Amino acid sequence: MKHKNGYTLIELVIYVGIVAVVALVVTNSILILNRTLASFRLERRLATSSETAMRRIVREAHLARDIYASSTLGSSPGVLSLASQESEEDDAARDVMIYVSGGALTLRRGTGPAVAFTAGGVTVTNLIFRQIVNGTVSKAVKVELTLRASAGNASTTKNYYTTTLLRGAY
């Protein structure tokens, strides 16, 4: 009886084929996981930016007494100019302007510096303010905001909406 040492050509081709298929499946799984992780990061960036933006807009509207006529309402990019105050205890009126600058949602209080409050990599693609007047008793602002986050080849866009009363108006 003769003992074989080594592999035959057919065995070697089968082993290489199996290793190639396993390597292809592993590589594809890693690429899918990488894309999913990038998508989750973009979603998180959008969620954080939208939450910050909407909270800030609602806060400023709550402190506002009136909406100035210089506001750009009903079109994008909108500008919301408010006669506001620093806090609920403060009676002195201060101008507040919320607008888009360089793709970022920006707030300027009085003559102070403009402050962007959307995260890096997040762009405002649509910003519309609409004034809602309920007789002479109260005023409200409806905000429509569309944000886009991009990183590499991945990007995602989401729409956000809120309506808030100008508490200082009544």
Side-chain angles (χ1 to χ4, degrees), residues 50 52-62 64 66-82 96-101 104-108 115 117-118 124-133 139-147 160-166:
S50 67
T52 302
M54 290 302 200
R55 280 187 182 183
R56 189 63 187 259
I57 291 170
V58 167
R59 178 182 179 273
E60 295 301 331
H62 280 226
D66 201 4
I67 298 173
Y68 286 130
S70 61
S71 296
T72 305
L73 304 173
S75 65
S76 183
V79 176
L80 184 62
S81 296
L82 301 169
V96 172
M97 192 162 64
I98 301 170
Y99 58 97
V100 177
S101 176
L105 193 57
T106 307
L107 178 127
R108 181 187 313 272
V115 177
F117 49 95
T118 48
V124 177
T125 59
N126 184 40
L127 177 64
I128 299 175
F129 297 105
R130 298 182 197 284
Q131 182 176 359
I132 302 169
V133 179
K139 293 182 182 178
V141 175
K142 180 180 180 183
V143 181
E144 300 174 23
L145 176 66
T146 304
L147 298 177
Y160 302 94
Y161 305 93
T162 191
T163 302
T164 184
L165 284 172
L166 277 67

Side-chain angles (χ1 to χ4, degrees), residues 38-51:
S39 176
F40 283 141
R41 285 181 180 153
L42 290 177
E43 293 284 339
R44 184 178 62 209
R45 194 178 305 156
L46 274 180
T48 302
S49 287
S50 67
E51 186 176 332

